[in-house]
Amino acid sequence: MSSGRKEKLVAPGMLRDLITAWLGDGDLLALGGLFKQGRPCALVREVIRGGRRDLKLVSSPGSGFDVDVMIAAGCVAETFLPAVTLETRMCPAFRGAVEAGTVRAHCVDALSVVGGLMAAAHGVPFQPVVAWKGSDVPRNNPLAAEITCPFTGEALFATRAIRPKLALLHAQEGDRYGNIRHLSTMTYADQMMARASERVIVSVDRLVSTEDIVARPRETTIPCTYVDAVVEIPHGAHPTGSFPLYSIDEAHIEGYADVAEAARRAGRDGGGDAGDGLADYLTRVVRAPATQADYLEAIGGKARLTALEQEAASL
Amino acid sequence: MSSGRKEKLVAPGMLRDLITAWLGDGDLLALGGLFKQGRPCALVREVIRGGRRDLKLVSSPGSGFDVDVMIAAGCVAETFLPAVTLETRMCPAFRGAVEAGTVRAHCVDALSVVGGLMAAAHGVPFQPVVAWKGSDVPRNNPLAAEITCPFTGEALFATRAIRPKLALLHAQEGDRYGNIRHLSTMTYADQMMARASERVIVSVDRLVSTEDIVARPRETTIPCTYVDAVVEIPHGAHPTGSFPLYSIDEAHIEGYADVAEAARRAGRDGGGDAGDGLADYLTRVVRAPATQADYLEAIGGKARLTALEQEAASL
Amino acid sequence: MTDTRCTPAELQAFVLSRELKDGEMGAAGASAAIPMAAIMLARHMHAPDIQIAGEMFVNPRPRQLWDSMLDDRALGACEAAETFLELFGHSHRGLDFFFHNGMQIDRFGNINLHFIGGSIDRPRMRGPGAANISYAGTSRRFYICTHAHSPRTFVPRVDFITSPGYLDGPESFHAAGLKGGPALCVTPLAVMDFDPDSLTMRLKSVHPWSSVEEVVAKTGFELGLPDRVPVTDLPDAGTLDLLRGKVDTAGLLRR
Amino acid sequence: MTDTRCTPAELQAFVLSRELKDGEMGAAGASAAIPMAAIMLARHMHAPDIQIAGEMFVNPRPRQLWDSMLDDRALGACEAAETFLELFGHSHRGLDFFFHNGMQIDRFGNINLHFIGGSIDRPRMRGPGAANISYAGTSRRFYICTHAHSPRTFVPRVDFITSPGYLDGPESFHAAGLKGGPALCVTPLAVMDFDPDSLTMRLKSVHPWSSVEEVVAKTGFELGLPDRVPVTDLPDAGTLDLLRGKVDTAGLLRR
């Protein structure tokens, strides 16, 4: 029956062209995962290599590493990101760019982003929000407006539908038709972003058969009908975690943060060679690797990956 | 650690008191499942035995058998039910009561019910709806109002939050703390009703351990925090299906429909003993059985149940 | 040897299957044995890339047809399960195709499933209502597929518009902001389509066991009649083999 | 023999654990090792029926603490997983308790995580922002738990209210329709609560390694001072055993 069914599986080498076709300079890009889990880091490196600029970014309400690398690489003009942090420390490139005025970081919160994605996923122009009281965020939030309930007469807020041009997501498994399965306990806003976005590309750590998908349909987290392209990229979330397959590479993220922080201070102080570490990182780790295998070699190879797999297996 | 944790597991004998405490005459009751799958039929029989009257009913957008029995038993005053049908034939008691003017059947559709449950689940007073055009339903829908989008200026609708006093749901598995797991592929609006309702009682075909729940947290469909009481009632959805454990008892539903249809015609024609079959059904099958075991005996016992289990296993 | 005399339900499924195009996405609705058979048959024939989605299941693999086609008996094996929450979004985005049945259907393809006669609160006859009325207005097109062809079903004007067809014609249809509208109406006797100018129903073909006269007599409004009304194409033996051997293995459409 | 000299982080977790009541439902937030330790400890001690929910996991069983406490490392084992969709609803319904940290905290318990100095579009210092600001206003109460106690953190007035405390005091707090507000502020040096009349922060107890003088000197606004300021109760040996042996098995709070 499925002999003539169209596949959505693409080769990693096709990614850059696809991303460039589906995401223009200045467009709104959505990134899946949260903080250091399930981030589409391999896909983000392709966006950087593709040279897109002036992007607007939205994500689940917590982001950090990959967003900071995109800002460091000069791809970003505006962010609609509630929290941007490496959790144990701030995001250096984000902080530096906002303080320098080169990136505009809108004050949005979880409800504006989640509500906006919900509205787009549901096909309506806005989502009502009540739970914004006392904070300065809704007062400065470009996604928020005041509205009156037609039933109760109460004053509340509306948050505007967010419809990204492209969503980049990462999951553990998927089939060649684009049925996606997260094995992780946490999936954050990935499903909602898939439903809200015009185009969706998902990297998966491993391809599975459609028979395997049909055997457990309740476990499909993103049905194929929302997915435009699926690509198999082992360790595609590195250095963030992809549980239960591999854990978070905190040392890698710390190492990046150190060179990015040095660059930030150098930029602020106008001083010397302190940005060289970041430039080297962007060249050596982000831009130079031609394949995921090259990337994995650059970040420490088999020894590093095995350690991360063992940590995930021990949890 | 959990030695002092409060259990939500209740004995079947406590159900009538719980339902009576949590649902008054005239209150809004929500029923889970869809058409002939996953309906909380054992719990519905307890509502009837408890003698509640003038209830308002809401359900997932498709209902039939259990709603019709409640109407036949005289428990219902108003319905907010999009489709009420046995699929191969109409619901006799529903049809008869609406035509006689004893039940008021509001013209609502899936988006008003689902949107209303979504709004309540999300904690907001309404849900925007756009996709109501041309139909007479929104014009006659007591849940609908017109509203203007504060961003686009477009005219659209709002549907009012639906917050049932009590939701009755059925699932295949649950633990004693109220973590619920549907094994069926379809779960319809059950999660949303649990999130939207003031109180939630769930019948499960079998109790499982909390360790079993923790081993697969992604498969928990309704977390314990939404559930007020869980009760183990084997075959608690009968005569509707509870997949993959047992299939739909079409013969039972047909038999009920035959006597209910005869009663409807008798009522309309004002004629004779044609309603006796329904009265007998309500006594013998609905009201008389003191326990689920008695009920299962009354509907055909082990032979019938085994056949339904085998059909489910063969799908 | 296959018995190539097909039943009305089998012919309805066959006629509808030929309308569905490869790469499209659609769903069958409730009480949808014939529509689901049409989709499955189209996938076996010319449209392997049809995506079945928009209800609460994605690309199901039913081992047989059932009267409902909206529970685990039929749809437990599928590629993904969704809930009414996701259906809310699908209803707004619309599908490529959907199917509707009706208690009353009028010449503009408007559908009534709510009540006939009397008033909304005290109807002479109360129907089942409808779960999802939105796909009629948001999808690229929908098909009307009925189990009966009688003047009681095909009326000049429905008493209540549950799911909109072309309302009162082109002006009102466009003013309401509707998309698509009904493409065909397929009954046990005939196939009807809609005149592109007036948006009223007209006869397209008559099944071999019926006649123009019978269809006209059993339609309660003035049906558009072209000069020549062909006989509905029947499925060939191979197609019928597929329908019976791969789709309707339980013989539901042959009852 | 257990070393009963506890660290500031351990004492913060202990102080907070005693505030949480059996049967309550709450969550810890992001970067929440101390709050999660407090909840877990309370469950081991006096509140076995605390429900941990409202973020995207229900009743997790972390084998150890982590800095984040919002990913599968810490929370993969739990009773149920939710997503941001359900978090939207929780945020509106509120919890019994929640926890916040702050880059700036003022005497009314308002919290700033967005920016210090300059303007919103060109700040002197841009902080991380916050994911969920709503629990501060919808929950029965929240706790402020900081890693630092300095005049830079404790300021007379925050430059931007990310999460509201008592705003400008009782009048503005009630006018805004806020619920609950901050109950305690627990730092590495002291415990503060809020005067019920003025809703301004006051000293409640001082940790044994600090002093009233130190706390006053390191607080950038006029802290309410009762006549007598007790020393913060320390956990006893059994409690510390539980904290180290069952909750913080990796020794994160002892770094």
Side-chain angles (χ1 to χ4, degrees), chain B residues 90 95 99, chain C residues 100-106 110-117 123-129 144-148 150-155 158-160 162:
Chain B
M90 290 202 264
R95 183 183 162 189
E99 290 169 10
Chain C
H100 280 292
N101 194 351
M103 191 164 74
Q104 284 185 328
I105 296 150
D106 69 21
N110 299 304
I111 288 166
N112 177 17
L113 282 160
H114 272 93
F115 70 95
I116 297 173
R124 186 170 59 72
M125 180 194 165
R126 180 49 151 93
I144 304 172
C145 176
T146 73
H147 295 279
S150 76
R152 275 182 47 186
T153 304
F154 288 89
V155 297
V158 292
D159 291 357
F160 184 89
T162 299

Side-chain angles (χ1 to χ4, degrees), chain A residues 37 87 110 131 135-136 185 250, chain D residues 68 72-73 126 131 134 161-162:
Chain A
Q37 174 168 341
E87 296 183 275
S135 171
D136 286 336
T185 299
E250 295 277 10
Chain D
S68 165
D72 273 22
R73 270 185 317 199
R126 180 49 152 90
S134 296
I161 298 179
T162 299

Side-chain angles (χ1 to χ4, degrees), chain D residues 97-130:
Chain D
F97 60 83
F98 197 69
F99 301 86
H100 279 291
N101 194 352
M103 189 164 76
Q104 285 184 327
I105 297 151
D106 69 21
R107 64 196 190 105
F108 290 109
N110 299 305
I111 287 167
N112 177 16
L113 282 160
H114 272 93
F115 70 94
I116 297 174
S119 68
I120 196 167
D121 284 328
R122 194 68 194 269
R124 185 168 60 71
M125 181 194 165
R126 180 49 152 90

Side-chain angles (χ1 to χ4, degrees), chain B residues 251-271:
Chain B
H252 180 101
I253 294 170
E254 277 297 303
Y256 161 78
D258 287 342
V259 296
E261 177 64 11
R264 184 187 73 81
R265 288 171 185 273
R268 199 189 56 190
D269 308 336

Side-chain angles (χ1 to χ4, degrees), chain B residues 25 31 34 52 79 100 135-136 149 166 172 182 195 213 234 252 267-268 287 289 302:
Chain B
D25 286 346
L31 301 172
L34 186 89
R52 279 283 166 256
T79 65
S135 171
D136 287 336
C149 174
L166 177 65
Q172 288 72 50
H182 289 72
R195 294 172 59 212
I213 293 286
H252 180 101
R268 199 189 56 190
R287 292 202 174 96
K302 195 157 185 57

Side-chain angles (χ1 to χ4, degrees), chain C residues 39-102:
Chain C
I39 300 173
M40 303 299 291
L41 184 59
R43 288 181 117 194
H44 281 291
M45 301 280 291
H46 59 277
D49 197 38
I50 279 185
Q51 304 299 309
I52 310 176
E55 300 278 282
M56 286 153 296
F57 48 89
V58 176
N59 292 332
R61 301 177 175 195
R63 296 223 191 122
Q64 65 168 86
L65 296 177
W66 300 83
D67 284 316
S68 166
M69 298 310 298
L70 206 52
D71 57 51
D72 273 24
R73 270 185 316 199
L75 308 169
C78 59
E79 293 174 11
E82 296 194 311
T83 71
F84 276 104
L85 186 102
E86 288 85 10
L87 188 139
F88 190 95
H90 290 303
S91 298
H92 278 84
R93 285 188 293 275
L95 302 170
D96 292 315
F97 60 83
F98 197 68
F99 301 86
H100 280 292
N101 194 351

Side-chain angles (χ1 to χ4, degrees), chain C residues 197-208:
Chain C
D197 295 323
S198 67
L199 298 178
T200 54
M201 210 182 281
R202 64 185 185 185
L203 194 54
K204 184 161 189 274
S205 71
V206 179
H207 302 342

Side-chain angles (χ1 to χ4, degrees), chain D residues 117-195:
Chain D
S119 68
I120 196 167
D121 284 328
R122 194 68 194 269
R124 185 168 60 71
M125 181 194 165
R126 180 49 152 90
N132 199 332
I133 62 172
S134 296
Y135 282 137
T138 60
S139 297
R140 282 180 196 275
R141 64 189 189 281
F142 70 89
Y143 299 100
I144 304 171
C145 177
T146 73
H147 294 280
H149 196 141
S150 77
R152 274 183 49 186
T153 303
F154 287 88
V155 297
R157 176 68 185 179
V158 292
D159 291 357
F160 184 89
I161 298 179
T162 299
S163 296
Y166 293 113
L167 298 180
D168 297 311
E171 203 174 316
S172 61
F173 178 73
H174 293 112
L178 291 163
K179 189 174 168 184
L184 287 187
C185 177
V186 183
T187 78
L189 299 184
V191 179
M192 276 84 74
D193 64 1
F194 293 83
D195 180 276

